[in-house]
Amino acid sequence: MLTVEEIETVPFEGQQPGTSGLRKKVKVFLQKNYVENFIQSILNVNEELEGCTLVVGGDGRYLVKEVVDTIIKICAGNGVGKLIIGQNGLLSTPAVSHLIRKNETLGGIILTASHNPGGVDNDFGIKFNTSNGGPAPDGVTNEIYRHSTIIKSYKIVPNIKCDITTIGITRFKIEDKDFVVEVIDSVKDYLDYMKEIFNFPLIKTLLEGSEDKKKFNVLIDSMNGVTGPYVKRIFVDELGATEDNLRRVVPMEDFGGIHPDPNLTYAEDLVREVRKGDYDFGAAFDGDGDRNMILGRGAMFVTPADSLAILASWLHVIPYFQRTGVKGFARSMPTAAAVDLVAKEMNKEMFEVPTGWKYFGNLMDADRLSLCGEESFGTGSDHIREKDGVWAALAWLNVIAHSGLSVKELLMRHWRKYGRNYFARYRKILYIK
């Protein structure tokens, strides 16, 4: 029988989660008890912890596997009933959100620093999502921080050993309580959900071509992040693309030394390939799979604001929204107002929210929001409570397949009807003597 130990500890300064969890340098997380303190603080704020189920996964960056092991030990010591963990600790942030909602779990712990660089000298992060599948609201993150400032001990089962490399269920007896760890295929549930949302046969015909149309050539870049396995299963196995249509699809602990942020600066080599190659469409995703960049032929760049507005205009052609109906739209405050014009034309509610995906979730839970986005390359819908990069690319392909229009034609059509909206992003650096 495995037993619980209570280990004395002292608080660390600065364990205040931001809009997307706690992010620090790897070397900060490597301090003795640093991870243990924060995981215990997350568990302490959840009153229904006893016997609950949590989802656990991360983007594959340096330290993910070690922290998953720590989470298993601490959850076992705190009466958690079951953990659902992605094989090898891998789960995209959108996949975690879906798994939380599908399995009606108490929440999930996501190990990611999103689009920040990885590796021993770079960044790591821990984020808690609540039972709606979305990032913990301010009230919860403030409580996590408060607990982190007064923590005196954490509970752990130090001798528990669980293989997360093999899919399957492992059962443990922790004193008089049952504890289950289920290691799942990281991709399957998310893939099945995408097949419900989109018209995969239609997209497959687009990508493979037909007697009267040449194949629509795509180049999809996972930037050595977590979406690699998702992209291979979706685009190659399901939609008929080839390995030549993919790049950087092997998750790496340091993302291959690149900055996994899908924009014109950090995905410049993708832009260059799409520009010089025979590609109709390009897409890139960030480290944890929630951000996206969309390109057309000749590397025509689709701004996040235009992407949001064009998808809003065509949302009705996607099977998921044919079933659920199109509700309102929303954007973050810094995002250009292109979607506002679409909402007015369609007589839909339009919301402007502060920066942080958690602020969209309340509107989705109130059944008032179908589609939302932010200028930092995030797009998503009410299918989950996170932004979703792969979803955004599939949404574009569904629209293209249905309309018969190219990326450029969709953009030009939108601009002719609504005009062009712009935004500028400034970085302010303060020098304090």
Side-chain angles (χ1 to χ4, degrees), residues 242-420:
T242 70
E243 295 285 345
D244 291 338
N245 295 115
L246 312 181
R247 68 194 309 270
R248 299 190 289 198
V249 291
V250 178
M252 297 183 182
E253 291 189 341
D254 65 349
F255 304 110
I258 68 168
H259 190 142
D261 195 356
N263 58 43
L264 295 175
T265 300
Y266 297 115
E268 182 184 8
D269 47 353
L270 171 69
V271 175
R272 191 163 49 247
E273 283 200 42
V274 173
R275 181 179 292 124
K276 72 180 182 182
D278 182 26
Y279 295 107
D280 301 293
F281 180 89
F285 313 118
D286 72 334
D288 68 323
D290 62 356
R291 298 187 181 205
N292 74 93
M293 179 176 70
I294 302 297
L295 302 170
R297 178 166 282 277
M300 187 173 193
F301 172 60
V302 183
T303 70
D306 282 340
S307 180
L308 177 63
I310 290 167
L311 290 181
S313 300
W314 291 88
L315 213 58
H316 61 281
V317 309
I318 295 172
Y320 173 86
F321 297 103
Q322 292 172 348
R323 296 192 299 270
T324 65
V326 178
K327 301 149 196 165
F329 306 126
R331 60 174 174 83
S332 63
M333 182 277 293
T335 305
V339 71
D340 300 46
L341 303 175
V342 177
K344 184 177 180 180
E345 171 78 13
M346 295 176 65
N347 196 28
K348 300 294 182 183
E349 281 192 291
M350 180 67 217
F351 302 93
E352 180 183 271
V353 305
T355 298
W357 207 260
K358 65 180 76 175
Y359 302 112
F360 294 122
N362 293 335
L363 294 166
M364 293 178 182
D365 290 343
D367 209 28
R368 298 177 68 181
L369 180 60
S370 287
L371 180 73
C372 53
E374 55 190 15
E375 44 80 36
S376 55
F377 295 81
T379 317
S381 88
D382 63 349
H383 69 292
I384 56 172
R385 296 298 182 267
E386 287 278 6
K387 49 185 175 277
D388 190 344
V390 173
W391 177 94
L394 289 170
W396 266 92
L397 291 171
N398 202 145
V399 168
I400 290 167
H402 178 92
S403 68
L405 301 174
S406 68
V407 171
K408 181 178 180 179
E409 288 168 336
L410 286 165
L411 278 167
M412 297 301 294
R413 177 180 171 138
H414 175 81
W415 292 337
R416 280 194 294 267
K417 183 171 184 177
Y418 297 104
R420 295 188 70 170

Side-chain angles (χ1 to χ4, degrees), residues 44-57:
N44 284 348
V45 305
N46 287 282
E47 295 178 356
E48 300 176 359
L49 193 66
E50 189 72 26
C52 77
T53 299
L54 293 170
V55 179
V56 179

